[in-house]
Amino acid sequence: MKLPGHDAIARQADEHLVTHRVKLPRKVVDRPIRQVGKRLLMALLVLVATAVVVYVDHEGYTDNSDGSVDFLDAFYYATVTLSTTGYGDITPVSDGARLTNIFVITPLRVIFLIILVGTTLEVLTERTREEWRLNRWRSVLRDHTVVIGFGTKGRSAIQTVCATGLKKEQVVVVDPSSKVIDAATAEGYAGVVGDATRSDVLKRAELQRARQIIIATQRDDTAVLVTLTARQLNRTAKIVAAVREEENAPLLKQSGADAVITSASAAGRLLGLSVLSPAAGMVMEDLIQQGSGLDMVERPVIKAEVGRRPRETDDLVVSVVRGHRVLGYDDPDVGTIQLTDRLITIVRASPATQVAPDTRPFPRD
């Protein structure tokens, strides 16, 4: 595989140059123009209510120009009063009108100002609230999962992991597209907009404190650069990467990936199996889809299984993980099951069979 030269990398960085920022999931709110429209409507209703109150008691008011107050004068008085302008050409003279100003007009004036000023205050405090949310998010984020690339592969991978019990609050998505990050936050994940080959972008995702890293980029050379950067920032995290071409898989492992999945070859093998045996292809596809039908899970050994052979357990054991070795169920080296082993089994998917994500370091060669 030929990696792009320095100039090509620079051009690619320029193409994806965006503001590196973190986006947290939030509740659905109205668009700003709708929020402003609602507040203007509320202010208009307060204005109309004030004008009606003044007109009903218009005999208690006097106008310096002609002495009487009509409906237009009532609206004029309501406008200058609510806006705190107060020219003084129309004034309450009766006791009833003055009491109305104290107990009715003044509260309406306060409500009017709150409605109009509230829009400005919300805009001014939005950044402060966002900074507070980000600081609090960073302070509690530990042992999370970082997903780099939220296309078909990345989305399917994180849905599979979440089906085993991982909370969405423990997932951070990194992608250069702002629209993709908006889609991720809409699903409940935190997102970082930026080029994942840059260490400062990965640091915004708190990758240095992550437990698992899923690399599902569109290009193999990008996956190599991301893997190198991620491994440099975090020496202990489990890194799983996807590549299109099988010949690039060894390069990903040399870059620091613990496991590499060849997406094109895997899809091709599934197609070939489905041609030879459609039923076998359906079973394999069912195993791949987490949370439905049959699932493949890794779980610890229970005391009742110690000393038994893999075929003597209640579950259908496929492999035994012993130390850094993954042994088949019929491997002579397995012998009997030990308490420190972990079993890879096929089970019927149900809420009771969900297994929490594996927290052990991934076996490395």
Side-chain angles (χ1 to χ4, degrees):
M1 181 190 71
K2 294 183 179 180
L3 294 178
H6 181 271
D7 294 339
I9 296 176
R11 287 196 301 271
Q12 185 179 6
D14 292 338
E15 292 176 357
H16 297 293
L17 186 60
V18 294
T19 302
H20 307 319
R21 62 186 185 277
V22 179
K23 291 187 178 181
L24 301 181
R26 62 176 62 189
K27 296 180 180 179
V28 179
V29 297
D30 291 335
R31 294 179 179 178
I33 189 170
R34 293 193 60 179
Q35 294 183 9
V36 174
K38 286 182 178 180
R39 296 189 179 187
L40 289 176
L41 179 60
M42 294 171 63
L44 181 60
L45 292 176
V46 173
L47 177 63
V48 171
T50 304
V52 171
V53 170
V54 173
Y55 182 73
V56 170
D57 193 24
H58 65 279
E59 294 181 355
Y61 294 81
T62 181
D63 188 348
N64 293 338
S65 61
D66 56 9
S68 62
V69 176
D70 57 16
F71 196 67
L72 178 60
D73 293 333
F75 263 98
Y76 168 74
Y77 177 79
T79 302
V80 298
T81 299
L82 293 179
S83 62
T84 68
T85 304
Y87 293 115
D89 49 351
I90 300 178
T91 57
V93 293
S94 68
D95 293 340
R98 291 176 177 177
L99 288 173
T100 302
N101 266 264
I102 295 173
F103 295 107
V104 179
I105 303 299
T106 299
L108 288 175
R109 182 187 301 117
V110 174
I111 294 174
F112 183 83
L113 294 176
I114 289 175
I115 292 173
L116 294 185
V117 177
T119 303
T120 305
L121 291 177
E122 182 174 359
V123 173
L124 294 176
T125 58
E126 178 64 26
R127 178 165 295 185
T128 302
R129 290 201 304 264
E130 191 67 20
E131 287 296 328
W132 181 83
R133 291 184 67 206
L134 286 175
N135 292 334
R136 182 176 180 274
W137 173 74
R138 289 192 176 98
S139 65
V140 299
L141 194 63
R142 297 287 190 282
D143 296 331
H144 56 290
T145 299
V146 177
V147 182
I148 300 172
F150 200 63
T152 303
K153 293 180 293 186
R155 181 175 287 124
S156 299
I158 200 58
Q159 286 175 350
T160 300
V161 177
C162 287
T164 64
L166 181 68
K167 296 180 180 180
K168 291 185 176 182
E169 293 80 5
Q170 287 294 103
V171 177
V172 182
V173 177
V174 181
D175 198 279
S177 172
S178 180
K179 292 183 178 179
V180 172
I181 295 300
D182 289 339
T185 55
E187 295 185 22
Y189 308 114
V192 177
V193 182
D195 184 0
T197 61
R198 300 170 60 92
S199 59
D200 59 331
V201 175
L202 296 181
K203 288 180 180 178
R204 289 181 179 271
E206 300 295 327
L207 182 138
Q208 63 275 16
R209 296 188 296 186
R211 175 179 293 167
Q212 302 169 127
I213 303 170
I214 299 174
I215 301 175
T217 58
Q218 297 297 324
R219 293 167 54 95
D220 288 1
D221 53 357
T222 305
V224 172
L225 293 175
V226 172
T227 303
L228 285 169
T229 307
R231 183 54 73 192
Q232 183 181 15
L233 292 175
N234 193 324
R235 297 290 183 180
T236 61
K238 179 194 300 183
I239 299 180
V240 179
V243 293
R244 293 178 178 271
E245 302 297 334
E246 192 167 2
E247 62 182 8
N248 296 328
L251 185 57
L252 262 295
K253 289 189 175 181
Q254 293 176 10
S255 302
D258 297 297
V260 180
I261 307 300
T262 307
S263 56
S265 298
R269 285 190 288 269
L270 184 58
L271 286 172
L273 179 62
S274 299
V275 169
L276 297 175
S277 173
M282 291 176 59
V283 173
M284 286 300 301
E285 187 175 2
D286 185 19
L287 288 173
I288 294 175
Q289 294 179 354
Q290 189 76 20
S292 63
L294 298 175
D295 279 352
M296 184 174 294
V297 299
E298 180 180 343
R299 64 171 178 82
V301 174
I302 61 177
K303 292 183 178 180
E305 296 171 334
V306 176
R308 296 184 181 181
R309 295 185 178 276
R311 291 185 177 181
E312 297 174 351
T313 61
D314 296 333
D315 293 339
L316 180 58
V317 177
V318 178
S319 298
V320 177
V321 181
R322 180 170 294 167
H324 290 182
R325 304 172 62 192
V326 180
L327 306 174
Y329 71 94
D330 57 347
D331 193 313
D333 292 339
V334 172
T336 59
I337 297 175
Q338 302 175 11
L339 186 60
T340 56
D341 292 340
R342 293 182 66 87
L343 305 179
I344 299 177
T345 65
I346 296 178
V347 297
R348 175 65 62 180
S350 66
T353 59
Q354 288 189 354
V355 179
D358 189 11
T359 59
R360 300 175 306 112
F362 198 89
R364 303 191 65 183
D365 296 335

